[in-house]
Amino acid sequence: MAVEQYRTYIQQLLGQHARHQAASGEVEAQTIFDPQNDRYLLAHVGWHGSHRIYGCVLHLEIKDGKIWIQQDGTEVGIANELIELGVPKEDLVLGFQSPFMRKFTEFAVS
């Protein structure tokens, strides 16, 4: 599958998650897209009372034609959503797992 299609899928999914997760009043879901370097993030930024909220919910990269999932804080799993769009499992790398453990998954090792 073409890398350009992967960019479109990732931006589409992060945008959808940002719209669904922005329900909290003072916490904003922000998408950060760097298509030149193929890095894509969804972060939560804001305040809950006097408590600072800042965290990366999703972090994906495209490297060597594969989608690397560096962070996935969703319940559904971004890998499952990408598979539903037609991305083959061999083009998905669970970068948040150790290289040793990746060989025991059904996804790409690297």
Side-chain angles (χ1 to χ4, degrees):
M1 192 172 282
V3 169
E4 188 59 41
Q5 187 64 52
Y6 288 171
R7 289 183 184 115
T8 301
Y9 287 162
I10 290 169
Q11 292 179 35
Q12 173 188 331
L13 290 173
L14 268 58
Q16 289 173 359
H17 280 280
R19 283 189 294 279
H20 293 296
Q21 296 178 349
S24 182
E26 296 183 41
V27 178
E28 180 182 0
Q30 296 182 352
T31 54
I32 302 152
F33 300 155
D34 177 6
Q36 284 187 323
N37 295 301
D38 279 323
R39 295 184 179 123
Y40 307 88
L41 287 94
L42 169 64
H44 285 170
V45 179
W47 291 92
H48 183 72
S50 62
H51 182 72
R52 174 76 171 152
I53 305 293
Y54 182 85
C56 177
V57 178
L58 287 164
H59 175 179
L60 291 89
E61 299 176 315
I62 300 173
K63 294 193 255 184
D64 301 323
K66 295 181 181 176
I67 299 173
W68 284 68
I69 302 169
Q70 302 291 6
Q71 170 69 21
D72 185 356
T74 68
E75 290 183 22
V76 66
I78 196 77
N80 294 326
E81 293 178 307
L82 289 164
I83 290 167
E84 286 180 19
L85 291 172
V87 177
K89 290 180 180 177
E90 59 266 18
D91 282 358
L92 295 171
V93 179
L94 303 180
F96 57 82
Q97 290 194 337
S98 72
F100 175 77
M101 292 303 291
R102 285 184 215 146
K103 64 185 173 190
F104 299 112
T105 72
E106 54 200 52
F107 297 98
V109 173
S110 62

